[in-house]
Amino acid sequence: MILRRTTLAGALALTRAEIADMFQYRVVLFLYSLWEVVHPIVYLAVWGAIAGEGDVGGLRLSDFAAYYLTFMLVSHVTAAIEIYTFGPMIQQGELSPHLLRPMNPVWVAAARNISYKSVSMLLLIPVWIGLVIILRPTFSITAGSALLFVVALVVAALLSFLVGTTFALLAFWTTRSFSFWEIWIGLTFLLGGQIAPVELLPGFVQNLATALPMRYTLGFPIEVLLNRLDAGELALGFVLQFAWLIAAALIVRTVWRAGIRQYSAVGA
Amino acid sequence: MPPDISVRQLVKHYVVPERAGGLRASFRSVLRRKHRLVRAVDGISFEVERGEVVGFLGPNGAGKTTALKVLSGLLHPTDGQVDVLGYTPWDRRAEYLSRITLIMGQRQQLFWDLPAADSFLVNKAVFGIDDAVYKRTVDLLTELLDLGDLLTKPVRQLSLGERMKVELAAGLLHTPRVLFLDEPTIGLDVTMQQRIREFVTAYNAETGATVLLTSHYMADVKALARRVIVIDQGKLLYDGALAGLVQRYAPHKTITVHLERSVDLPDLNGQAEVLSVEGLQVTVRAGKDDAPEVTGRLLTQLPIADLSVEDPPLEEVIDQVFRGDGP
């Protein structure tokens, strides 16, 4: 698909307007951001209690602090919100005005995603800095790991957006797309590096986590930044992350095409 | 020159789930879903020439909106061929979408919390309108629709009528060549309806755009369209001049007389029916063929101050068409 010049300009203008619009919802954003701060702190508290003065699988309290503080930012950047923003648009027929524009409405979902994250990031950053000062994590970061982290983070955000969009598109067929989304959320909780860093998972579960896409939307960029992977694991991780990204892009395209025919069949 | 819009045997059927109310029906529908086929559009054909303004009439559920949605590319038809400006609408090609607009009375494309100007800028970018053209178009629309400072107020603070004007402007920024207007005046007060009508007339004259509009208000149709297409239950009932519709379907005329003084009415031989007597004003209805004779008798037998013979209101004619009482 060739990206039209006006599509890019349109997406930019749309993002600008979405950001301006998002500022109207400061309180709601603040509450969401609060949740994003609270839940990694809970995981950290649990792992901190288990580790005590010692370590768990080689991770000390300050390592857990580094992991979950990074998690806080990464999970924010890669959060998929399409089930809340794009799904309802399809269900309530609000897609029609967007279908009349010479730009794929998936760009509307993308613009909303970016605007939500950039505005709420402004609220999250000061809290995050405060927590770094209090918790004193050990960030073992190098220039190389930081560079690779940026790549892994961008791909993770894209992959997560495409996965979120796929689940949102299920709204073309069912009013219960949330149920399917819950399954994804559950799997990410277990296998994505949320309840525990993937390296602490038992052997076969770890293999599962390595193969499935959830880790590549969340845990993988954190592991890259904190230098938790050897060269082989790093290479395999990037190969799989890109493979899942391509797969997700193809899936979104297929589901969108089928969905739009379905939308059209039931009466837009 | 080929017509701007060409529709051949357009068919659009929907399958909709159906169940009775109540808990039992609810349980039953879990095991066995019933479906019903809705023939929203059932084989209609017509053409619209460049620059024409055509009224699309029909009762609720006649298939008007469905037809407009197919024409604007939102819906895939079940069968039939449609060609608008040389494009097949449901391919939804960017070049096609840049040349048309569909404006629906109830739908909104504007950001609710932002001034409409922000939404306009999004459309400007999406449609790739260059600065000079954009400025000229906004100026023209502001003047024709009397937008004043409406563009700088948050949309949520606009009244329904103001919002409709702004929606209309947003849908026309890219100066489309074909306008599909679905109930553009719904819910508006009489003054605002009038304003929108004047605008559509002026826009059509100014740009030579082709307009296909649906409306429940006959005043809209009378003011805007010389040609009407009437559909009911998905089928085309009439396609032609508005005047011809009245001619063909109005079986009677309404005769109103103002008397100089109160008198008994003459015997009308069953040729006319008295509709109302209000003070010195009497309204009777006579068959189209009997109208001249009835009028003559009234003139010779009554002390008449004033007399008028009119076609029945368009609403009544349309009602006649839908009830199938016509010739």
Side-chain angles (χ1 to χ4, degrees):
Chain A
M1 186 176 67
I2 299 160
L3 211 51
R4 298 165 67 242
R5 188 178 54 84
T6 51
T7 301
L8 274 184
L12 268 176
L14 200 55
T15 308
R16 269 199 297 270
E18 288 282 354
I19 288 177
D21 196 42
M22 205 57 81
F23 274 110
Q24 307 291 324
Y25 302 97
R26 290 177 298 264
V27 176
V28 179
L29 285 183
F30 179 73
L31 292 175
Y32 282 148
S33 306
L34 206 61
W35 165 246
E36 296 200 19
V37 172
V38 168
H39 78 124
I41 293 290
V42 172
Y43 309 136
L44 174 57
V46 172
W47 284 111
I50 297 170
E53 293 297 310
D55 67 298
V56 183
L59 293 171
R60 305 178 62 80
L61 175 60
S62 61
D63 296 321
F64 281 113
Y67 184 89
Y68 281 112
L69 282 172
T70 311
F71 175 100
M72 213 179 269
L73 295 182
V74 170
S75 76
H76 184 73
V77 172
T78 65
I81 55 169
E82 287 55 51
I83 199 89
Y84 312 105
T85 59
F86 200 44
M89 265 175 66
I90 296 169
Q91 246 153 38
Q92 291 155 20
E94 288 164 21
L95 199 61
S96 299
H98 298 290
L99 281 171
L100 291 165
R101 288 174 171 162
M103 181 170 85
N104 191 315
V106 170
W107 285 103
V108 177
R112 212 159 280 182
N113 184 306
I114 293 168
S115 66
Y116 162 72
K117 286 169 185 175
S118 28
V119 175
S120 50
M121 192 59 110
L122 296 177
L123 300 165
L124 190 61
I125 290 280
V127 180
W128 189 82
I129 292 172
L131 285 171
V132 169
I133 294 166
I134 297 166
L135 296 171
R136 280 175 295 172
T138 325
F139 288 114
S140 43
I141 302 171
T142 57
S145 81
L147 202 69
L148 288 175
F149 166 71
V150 174
V151 179
L153 182 67
V154 171
V155 178
L158 280 172
L159 174 59
S160 182
F161 170 73
L162 293 175
V163 170
T165 303
T166 305
F167 281 98
L169 291 177
L170 295 180
F172 279 125
W173 292 273
T174 168
T175 51
R176 300 281 176 269
S177 44
F178 271 96
S179 321
F180 297 98
W181 179 241
E182 290 299 329
I183 297 171
W184 174 268
I185 292 287
L187 287 173
T188 307
F189 179 72
L190 294 172
L191 304 172
Q194 192 167 338
I195 190 172
V198 170
E199 63 184 292
L200 294 188
L201 296 175
F204 77 99
V205 184
Q206 207 177 109
N207 291 341
L208 204 61
T210 306
L212 291 174
M214 296 85 198
R215 172 187 177 227
Y216 301 101
T217 65
L218 189 59
F220 182 63
I222 310 172
E223 296 160 26
V224 171
L225 180 74
L226 301 178
N227 275 310
R228 306 297 307 174
L229 305 170
D230 64 34
E233 290 167 333
L234 207 57
L236 178 68
F238 273 111
V239 167
L240 286 170
Q241 198 190 27
F242 274 94
W244 277 117
L245 179 69
I246 293 164
L250 292 175
I251 290 169
V252 165
R253 208 164 87 139
T254 311
V255 176
W256 168 258
R257 285 182 179 174
I260 206 67
R261 283 199 79 95
Q262 169 71 14
Y263 183 67
S264 159
V266 295
Chain B
M1 196 164 57
D4 268 7
I5 302 172
S6 163
V7 177
R8 293 263 159 278
Q9 288 302 319
L10 178 63
V11 176
K12 177 68 191 176
H13 292 172
Y14 302 120
V15 178
V16 292
E18 190 180 48
R19 75 168 174 82
L23 198 58
R24 185 183 295 192
S26 188
F27 275 120
R28 208 175 291 152
S29 76
V30 172
L31 300 171
R32 199 167 161 187
R33 285 209 167 197
K34 274 191 182 168
H35 291 93
R36 185 168 59 94
L37 187 72
V38 176
R39 299 170 195 277
V41 177
D42 210 9
I44 60 172
S45 304
F46 61 88
E47 286 184 352
V48 181
E49 299 299 328
R50 175 137 205 219
E52 247 190 312
V53 182
V54 176
F56 213 27
L57 306 182
N60 286 333
K64 304 175 304 252
T65 303
T66 302
L68 285 195
K69 282 179 175 170
V70 172
L71 290 177
S72 57
L74 284 181
L75 298 183
H76 286 246
T78 309
D79 200 6
Q81 288 175 337
V82 178
D83 184 296
V84 184
L85 301 172
Y87 295 91
T88 302
W90 50 93
D91 289 346
R92 297 200 314 106
R93 297 178 64 98
E95 301 81 25
Y96 177 64
L97 296 173
S98 300
R99 286 175 175 79
I100 63 141
T101 195
L102 166 66
I103 291 165
M104 295 189 265
Q106 299 116 319
R107 288 285 158 79
Q108 68 145 2
Q109 55 164 326
L110 305 168
F111 281 92
W112 187 247
D113 291 306
L114 302 180
D118 286 334
S119 299
F120 279 26
L121 286 175
V122 172
N123 278 9
K124 172 184 183 290
V126 171
F127 285 98
I129 309 166
D130 73 49
D131 292 346
V133 175
Y134 174 75
K135 192 180 174 316
R136 210 165 50 230
T137 311
V138 172
D139 287 348
L140 174 73
L141 292 170
T142 303
E143 188 199 317
L144 288 178
L145 280 167
D146 192 17
L147 296 178
D149 61 351
L150 296 184
L151 300 185
T152 52
K153 282 190 203 167
V155 171
R156 69 181 136 77
Q157 283 176 8
L158 302 179
S159 72
L160 181 65
E162 290 173 334
R163 210 166 67 223
M164 193 59 223
K165 288 203 291 185
V166 176
E167 282 276 351
L168 202 54
L172 296 173
L173 284 175
H174 57 291
T175 47
R177 249 185 67 188
V178 175
L179 275 59
F180 300 111
L181 306 178
D182 191 21
E183 303 284 353
T185 57
I186 201 160
L188 304 185
D189 65 34
V190 180
T191 321
M192 200 60 85
Q193 287 177 23
Q194 180 66 25
R195 185 95 217 178
I196 302 271
R197 271 174 224 138
E198 285 167 6
F199 167 74
V200 175
T201 308
Y203 186 86
N204 167 255
E206 190 94 18
T207 63
T210 306
V211 183
L212 187 56
L213 90 152
T214 74
S215 180
H216 274 104
Y217 300 113
M218 289 309 146
D220 282 354
V221 179
K222 239 191 307 195
L224 292 170
R226 270 191 290 278
R227 175 180 160 205
V228 291
I229 293 172
V230 183
I231 62 170
D232 189 18
Q233 295 178 357
K235 294 200 185 299
L236 195 138
L237 296 184
Y238 177 85
D239 178 359
L242 185 59
L245 181 75
V246 176
Q247 197 75 33
R248 183 162 149 197
Y249 284 94
H252 57 256
K253 299 230 177 221
T254 306
I255 306 166
T256 308
V257 293
H258 288 272
L259 301 172
E260 284 170 345
R261 57 180 191 282
S262 184
V263 290
D264 288 337
L265 294 177
D267 180 14
L268 297 170
N269 277 347
Q271 282 179 307
E273 177 194 349
V274 179
L275 292 180
S276 69
V277 181
E278 286 169 23
L280 293 175
Q281 180 178 304
V282 179
T283 309
V284 302
R285 182 161 67 183
K288 215 162 27 181
D289 300 335
D290 294 334
E293 198 185 324
V294 172
T295 309
R297 191 171 307 151
L298 291 173
L299 277 169
T300 52
Q301 297 185 10
L302 291 174
I304 283 174
D306 190 21
L307 179 142
S308 65
V309 182
E310 285 171 344
D311 283 317
L314 195 53
E315 281 82 352
E316 223 172 277
V317 179
I318 297 290
D319 184 47
Q320 203 87 32
V321 180
F322 296 154
R323 281 192 282 132
D325 293 352

